[in-house]
Amino acid sequence: MRIALAQFDFPVGAVSANAERIGALIAEARDVHRADVVLFPELAISGYPPEDLLLRPDLLSACEAALARIAAATHGIVAVVGHPESAGAVVFNAASVLRDGAVALTYRKRELPNYAVFDERRYFAPGDAACVFEVDGVSLGLVICEDLWFAEPLASTVALGAQVVLVPNASPFERDKAAQRDTLLAERVGESRRTGEGVAIAYLNVVGGQDCLVFGGASCLAEGDGHGHPAAAAFEDHLLVADYDPATRRFERVSWPVETDEQRASLAYRAIVRGTRDYLHKNGFKQAVLGLSGGVDSALVLAVAADALGADNVLAVRLPSRYTSDLSNDLAVEQARTLGASIETLSIEAPFAGFLETLAPLFVGLPADVTEENLQSRCRGALLMALSNKTGRLLLTTGNKSEYAVGYATIYGDMCGGFAPIKDLYKTEVYALCRWRNAQGDGSVIPEAVIDRAPSAELRENQTDQDSLPPYEMLDAILFRDIELEQSCAEITAAGFDAAIVDHVLRLVRSSEWKRQQSAPGPKVSRRAFDRERRYPITSGRY
Amino acid sequence: MRIALAQFDFPVGAVSANAERIGALIAEARDVHRADVVLFPELAISGYPPEDLLLRPDLLSACEAALARIAAATHGIVAVVGHPESAGAVVFNAASVLRDGAVALTYRKRELPNYAVFDERRYFAPGDAACVFEVDGVSLGLVICEDLWFAEPLASTVALGAQVVLVPNASPFERDKAAQRDTLLAERVGESRRTGEGVAIAYLNVVGGQDCLVFGGASCLAEGDGHGHPAAAAFEDHLLVADYDPATRRFERVSWPVETDEQRASLAYRAIVRGTRDYLHKNGFKQAVLGLSGGVDSALVLAVAADALGADNVLAVRLPSRYTSDLSNDLAVEQARTLGASIETLSIEAPFAGFLETLAPLFVGLPADVTEENLQSRCRGALLMALSNKTGRLLLTTGNKSEYAVGYATIYGDMCGGFAPIKDLYKTEVYALCRWRNAQGDGSVIPEAVIDRAPSAELRENQTDQDSLPPYEMLDAILFRDIELEQSCAEITAAGFDAAIVDHVLRLVRSSEWKRQQSAPGPKVSRRAFDRERRYPITSGRY
């Protein structure tokens, strides 16, 4: 039996386009690959996650109509397609088995995740039944994504005789999740061996960026004796094909590009590149603009943008002030030239002077403070947004996770922009990815001096980040414990950090929530990203 | 039996302060009012909604310790206190009965709302048992908030013999919700009469602003024969006291300030005032600043700010440009003087000229467009933020719901600010509230000419809003159908609107989602507010 897994991108809300793509892939699986069954990802018709579009009757009826159209055209192959299923007052996260021009049966997801980035109980009612069907004498089962993370759904499917279980997923990328997924598959297959010969699993994941999420693909196959196959290439669209032999209980990969070790070392970078490209392209942008300061954050974002969009679609802008060093200006030019991106220079002195002059009568006798620093950053933001408005380029924001965490960024200034590629990378991770990118085959794309110099916002004379923040190694370690592990101040201090520093850092995190809630989205790569995964109140008495 | 209902504000995350306040109110209920039982709102110890603070072990253990302290001090009265209850790996939304220095029993909320602004299934496991206890020979039951919106929880409580059921709530203000609540209470009481004499209900709601929500108080009493009492004054802190006579099955109000008809007509305005005051005060701000344009939106926000904070705590700033009319400048001064707020004037010409001069080399040969309009708005935003930074005043944003809906606002410009008081009022509602405010006892606080003139952003010569938008009556009617009713383009057109206009408006709404996700929070007053109640993807193929 030949199985095709459609590891493709099905954008949210693009119901007609998704339906067309599904139809074309069904035909390709049948006519080109001679597949017996073709599997599509979770909610392929609506895209995932549709969020509150699921509350719109027009979206639901469009999905229903699309499913009927796809089913009517399905002959000579069995297709399994994910879609929202409206049934009276409730909606199910469903996948339907299409054959002989009709919907043969529909499976309803039983375990609905409602944690981290997931809100499925806001929209869906849980299913309560297993689903098994036959293709060419092989008994196939079907469970959806979160179902696999619990024992019961697979066990009840195996109990109905399933030899191979198809698992459509929409599983957002997160560092180290692949290892968890492999462990989970081995565990479930092992459980199935307690009652029989062991079930085989064909696990399909969607690919593509959707706002603050990136879906990784990396679909995989597991056999009943515990043998696994290498995952399919991550972040790439491909119609994967494998044969399953019920006699040997083995899969044979027919069309299955796999990850190289080199690729596996760069998952986070590739997630960011894919997330950035998809955000721009899906929202109608071909070109980007960003401020290039000569520092490490904007250097990495420029490299990402060039990799995502092509360097000739990226405009870097130097925005010097009286405090900008010659080194910063030189390094920015050097990097843009190396990559082949355009570069322009706009001094912020004229509007900055205009602001100071205008405010002078009200600021008489008041010392300079963060106000003047923020004004410089806001001049830069306004200039970049003017370029964005005038030329139709999307403005990329260059802040990192450490800055978003402690509020070391100017709202309406350097936080301006439509997408924030490195928002979920701590500063120390930014350095590591710069070094990794420079080690790739096309040579050093970020000047070494950018990586080696002391980080500075250059908003006053001789400023460095470490004037107001602890060293980044320490800061990031404290932030990781606070944000990713939800440790208390006492726990972090007990781990060996200075109590006054921990207290200071946690206060900064709490008092910056209002800024984060007005920030641009960026692709999740960590186990706990900001945006929809960490939902803190702004107004908070203590925590 | 004397019942006290603590209609107070219990801020989110302020565990120690909330515990102290609860302790003091228990003592006051007992010693001053001689109450037999005192009820506190849902999750009074943590505040509501605690959001992802509930994922922090330190928050949960602080709540547990606070509950123990309160219980230990509870003698001579029965106190019912809402709190998160951590039990192994799960957390319950609980309320505990405290008496004789200990926790006597704990009720766990059974119905967990996970729609609209609610995410309770993200945090809580549902309880599965009714709760009844005795005080002075009267059998009291306990259900929490959403429990009352389903028949079973109250029915099972009545089945255990409850004569009076206490209902602690955290129910966010929404126009017309009071009527729904009254209907619901009558329905539940009616159901209880089918099996007995009819249950009495003491319904307590919390008060206060929490980010984009405002809790209204307006607690109430219902008797077993269907007789209701007038709701307590909305948006006001009060220890409400009533006697219940088991012989007559009647409540008698002892200390129970009620709403006047006049107050009932102004609920939305009072919600906005309370929400604004609490946002500022809870976040450490006494004073506000706002741009005053001479238009109706900023005029209403100035009135709200003056009512919320005192006029002497509000600074209004005129930010004229070459396109600002004399009338706008004059009206702004007139309103500030009438209210007694400070007013300053900062021309945007100097920084605006600086931006144009700086960009000129890149913009050679390109016609003026929205870029130059946005730059003016961003000059205003930067000047206001500079005043905010330098003086510690919170910047209030003056945009209305119609503008946020269609994106008729400049991000990083007039959208700058920490709080947006009228974010959930359509433009036509802004006019209505201006007229209502002017009709109050203290006379006209908004110049009539502000209300009568044609709305304009004044970003180019002779501009009016209706150059690019349909008349506001039509726009708001279309938006209401799209946002509040989730009607499709076809349905709205079928209701009699021009198809091209509807299509245009819905496109604007979809393409402005990225701006809304970077906007300041504002108090919910409608049945479907932006912010946490309407969760749309930015990247959306069609809807």
Side-chain angles (χ1 to χ4, degrees), chain B residues 82-96:
Chain B
H83 62 96
E85 181 204 8
S86 188
V90 297
V91 179
F92 295 98
N93 181 336
S96 286

Side-chain angles (χ1 to χ4, degrees), chain A residues 44 79 85 95 152 221 240 329 466 496 498 528:
Chain A
E85 180 203 10
E152 198 284 326
L221 302 168
L240 306 166
N329 284 320
Q466 268 55 68
D498 180 83
R528 175 72 53 89

Side-chain angles (χ1 to χ4, degrees), chain A residues 12 116 122 211 390 538-539 541, chain B residues 12 116 122 211 372 538-539 541:
Chain A
V12 165
R122 182 174 171 88
D211 293 348
K390 191 66 95 184
I538 296 174
T539 303
Chain B
V12 165
R122 181 174 171 88
D211 293 348
E372 287 75 13
I538 296 173
T539 303

Side-chain angles (χ1 to χ4, degrees), chain B residues 4 12 58 67 86 137 153 177 237 412 445 455 495 499 505 518:
Chain B
V12 165
D58 52 356
L67 181 73
S86 188
K177 208 183 197 179
D237 298 78
Y412 322 130
V445 298
V505 169
Q518 292 190 40

Side-chain angles (χ1 to χ4, degrees), chain A residues 441-464:
Chain A
D442 52 354
S444 182
V445 297
I446 296 167
E448 293 298 326
V450 167
I451 304 175
D452 293 338
R453 64 198 300 227
S456 168
E458 294 192 327
L459 293 170
R460 57 175 189 267
E461 289 291 350
N462 302 317
Q463 182 181 31
T464 76

Side-chain angles (χ1 to χ4, degrees), chain B residues 168-489:
Chain B
N169 291 269
S171 180
F173 176 74
E174 179 181 309
R175 253 198 219 104
D176 310 323
K177 208 183 197 179
Q180 279 176 57
R181 198 261 320 263
D182 292 344
T183 307
L184 174 78
L185 282 171
E187 198 178 308
R188 288 287 165 267
V189 168
E191 286 165 7
S192 74
R193 276 202 303 276
R194 285 185 212 147
T195 53
E197 289 190 83
V199 70
I201 293 177
Y203 178 106
L204 166 65
N205 193 19
V206 70
V207 271
Q210 169 63 30
D211 293 348
C212 60
L213 303 179
V214 194
F215 297 92
S219 304
C220 61
L221 302 169
E223 288 159 4
D225 62 358
H227 179 251
H229 288 253
F235 305 113
E236 287 176 24
D237 298 78
H238 199 86
L239 188 56
L240 306 166
V241 181
D243 287 335
Y244 178 76
D245 182 345
T248 63
R249 309 176 66 82
R250 292 267 171 236
F251 285 110
E252 187 181 344
R253 284 172 275 125
V254 176
S255 175
W256 195 279
V258 300
E259 293 268 293
T260 62
D261 285 347
E262 206 180 313
Q263 285 175 318
R264 255 190 296 276
S266 63
L267 281 170
Y269 188 85
R270 286 156 66 213
I272 290 169
V273 167
R274 175 93 200 207
T276 302
R277 180 191 301 135
D278 283 356
Y279 186 86
L280 268 80
H281 288 177
K282 291 182 183 181
N283 284 290
F285 294 90
K286 281 190 176 169
Q287 300 188 304
V289 57
L290 76 157
L292 192 65
S293 70
V296 73
D297 299 311
S298 58
L300 181 59
V301 173
L302 175 57
V304 164
D307 287 341
L309 309 169
D312 50 344
N313 284 316
V314 182
L315 170 62
V317 186
R318 296 191 299 180
L319 298 145
S321 77
R322 61 193 75 170
Y323 305 118
T324 306
S325 62
D326 291 342
L327 179 61
S328 292
N329 284 320
D330 294 347
L331 289 172
V333 171
E334 184 187 334
Q335 191 194 1
R337 291 219 177 115
T338 306
L339 277 166
S342 316
I343 185 154
E344 295 284 358
T345 304
L346 294 173
S347 163
I348 63 166
E349 285 296 332
F352 183 44
F355 281 123
L356 294 180
E357 174 200 321
T358 304
L359 288 161
L362 295 185
F363 286 2
V364 172
L366 299 174
D369 58 12
V370 72
T371 307
E372 287 75 13
E373 299 187 21
N374 283 339
L375 268 173
Q376 295 168 61
S377 185
R378 291 189 180 121
C379 287
R380 296 192 171 103
L383 286 168
L384 291 168
M385 284 303 295
L387 286 174
S388 170
N389 286 163
K390 192 66 95 185
T391 66
R393 293 170 179 271
L394 185 127
L395 174 58
L396 294 173
T397 312
T398 59
N400 62 60
K401 189 172 188 172
S402 310
E403 291 176 357
Y404 280 102
V406 296
Y408 197 74
T410 299
I411 187 169
Y412 322 130
D414 51 295
M415 287 176 66
C416 285
F419 199 68
I422 60 170
K423 186 179 188 180
D424 200 25
L425 293 179
Y426 289 109
K427 186 82 171 186
T428 45
E429 297 172 326
V430 170
Y431 283 107
L433 275 198
C434 284
R435 292 201 185 89
W436 174 85
R437 183 64 186 81
N438 273 357
Q440 297 316 296
D442 52 353
S444 182
V445 298
I446 297 167
E448 292 299 326
V450 167
I451 304 175
D452 293 338
R453 64 196 301 223
S456 167
E458 294 193 325
L459 293 170
R460 57 176 189 266
E461 289 292 350
N462 302 318
Q463 183 182 30
T464 75
D465 293 7
Q466 268 54 70
D467 297 346
S468 31
L469 297 174
Y472 278 115
E473 289 72 21
M474 185 190 296
L475 177 66
D476 289 355
I478 294 170
L479 291 174
F480 183 84
R481 286 169 182 273
D482 177 43
I483 295 165
E484 264 86 342
L485 304 182
E486 283 144 344
Q487 291 185 354
S488 67
C489 185

